[in-house]
């Protein structure tokens, strides 16, 4: 079993803050994410600046693309991203066109649980999905539990590389013990911490403890 990677989601309001956090945690994380909230504010400048700061890290542009996949994929790639996200509601042609430009992760929100559709993603070379609990669902009281574990396992058994995100804290990771999670994605637990490096390290320590 491979050890899950650790990704920091930089959903900050400006690029300067994102760069400040990225600088502090880049030695601990595997993947740096220009978060959706950041991209809404600063667009591809955020991606370009992060790429300049961390030339050797995997960089994700979390654009949650819904249409014009080829165009948006090219824009993300040219800004320096390695991966971009498409929302699960995007059409198959949108995802295929994006995937021709850059590696796509499908972010799973409402209504994704159609296995025929998910199989089409795989059949077209889209192998990454992000199992997501949304920020607003979490504000409404959603927590991580057995249902999520079963859904993640189902996707892994189909052949997907599955990343897990949404209000994830180090104590959530043990729910997935023995499961081949591709990446744990943590945002606010790191970016809002007094010491982002220590917060990222606590995720890393928990990954190392559980996935030996
Ligand atoms: C928001 C996202 C976030 O990047 C993701 O949920 C991780 O952030 P947090 O740990 O703060 O929930 O995709 O749409």
């Amino acid at each position: 079993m491979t050890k899950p990677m650790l990704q920091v989601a930089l959903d900050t309001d400006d690029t300067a803050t994102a760069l400040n956090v990225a600088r502090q945690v880049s030695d601990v994380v595997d993947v740096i994410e220009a978060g959706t909230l950041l991209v809404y504010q600063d667009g591809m400048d955020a991606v370009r600046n992060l790429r300049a700061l961390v030339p050797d890290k995997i960089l994700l542009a979390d654009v949650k693309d819904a249409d014009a996949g080829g165009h948006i994929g090219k824009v993300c790639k040219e800004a320096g991203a390695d991966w971009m996200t498409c929302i699960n509601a995007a059409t198959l042609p949108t995802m295929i066109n994006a995937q021709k430009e850059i590696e796509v992760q499908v972010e799973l929100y409402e209504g994704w649980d159609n296995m025929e559709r998910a199989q089409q993603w795989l059949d077209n070379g889209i192998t990454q999905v992000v199992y997501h609990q949304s920020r607003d669902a979490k504000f409404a009281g959603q927590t991580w539990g057995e249902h999520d574990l079963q859904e993640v396992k189902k996707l892994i058994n189909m052949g997907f590389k599955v990343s897990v995100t949404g209000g994830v804290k180090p104590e959530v990771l043990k729910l997935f013990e023995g499961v081949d999670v591709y990446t744990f994605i943590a945002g606010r637990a790191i970016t809002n911490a007094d010491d982002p490096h220590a917060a990222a390290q606590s995720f890393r320590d928990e990954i190392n403890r559980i996935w030996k």
Side-chain angles (χ1 to χ4, degrees):
M1 179 162 302
T2 358
K3 214 171 259 213
M5 293 196 288
L6 177 61
Q7 175 171 330
V8 63
L10 299 167
D11 283 298
T12 58
D13 279 328
D14 58 74
T15 303
T17 308
L19 289 169
N20 184 32
V21 176
R23 209 172 276 121
Q24 294 177 66
V25 303
S26 65
D27 63 324
V28 183
V29 304
D30 304 290
V31 184
I32 303 265
E33 169 187 330
T36 313
L37 278 65
L38 174 60
V39 170
Y40 271 122
Q41 300 265 16
D42 282 357
M44 288 299 118
D45 279 349
V47 177
R48 274 186 281 277
N49 278 291
L50 284 166
R51 172 46 78 214
L53 180 74
V54 289
D56 301 326
K57 291 277 162 188
I58 300 170
L59 179 59
L60 166 78
D62 189 12
V63 292
K64 295 185 175 46
D65 184 40
D67 201 355
H71 181 76
I72 302 298
K74 192 162 185 282
V75 163
C76 291
K77 183 82 196 166
E78 285 177 359
D82 301 294
W83 301 343
M84 70 173 260
T85 52
C86 284
I87 194 154
N88 60 285
T91 63
L92 194 56
T94 292
M95 293 186 191
I96 291 170
N97 289 340
Q99 178 82 9
K100 282 182 190 151
E101 303 290 339
I102 188 168
E103 183 158 351
V104 166
Q105 289 185 323
V106 183
E107 284 232 50
L108 306 177
Y109 283 91
E110 289 276 321
W112 67 267
D113 200 358
N114 169 342
M115 292 309 159
E116 256 172 57
R117 188 71 199 293
Q119 187 58 52
Q120 288 176 336
W121 301 337
L122 277 176
D123 294 345
N124 284 282
I126 296 162
T127 58
Q128 285 206 54
V129 294
V130 182
Y131 185 88
H132 201 139
Q133 285 196 349
S134 82
R135 193 178 270 231
D136 294 314
K138 301 221 58 97
F139 285 143
Q142 191 173 21
T143 55
W144 288 97
E146 184 60 26
H147 172 73
D148 306 297
L149 176 63
Q150 294 313 322
E151 296 291 74
V152 166
K153 281 184 177 172
K154 188 162 75 181
L155 289 158
I156 291 171
N157 289 339
M158 283 182 77
F160 283 109
K161 295 178 197 162
V162 183
S163 297
V164 168
T165 194
V168 171
K169 299 191 171 123
E171 54 269 31
V172 170
L173 272 53
K174 59 180 175 304
L175 174 67
F176 298 95
E177 182 161 8
V179 179
D180 226 344
V181 171
Y182 189 52
T183 307
F184 285 105
I185 306 169
R188 287 160 293 172
I190 295 175
T191 57
N192 292 350
D194 291 339
D195 182 344
H197 185 271
Q201 189 62 51
S202 64
F203 279 95
R204 173 64 70 201
D205 292 346
E206 193 61 353
I207 289 172
N208 288 340
R209 186 185 72 77
I210 298 171
W211 287 268
K212 300 228 184 318

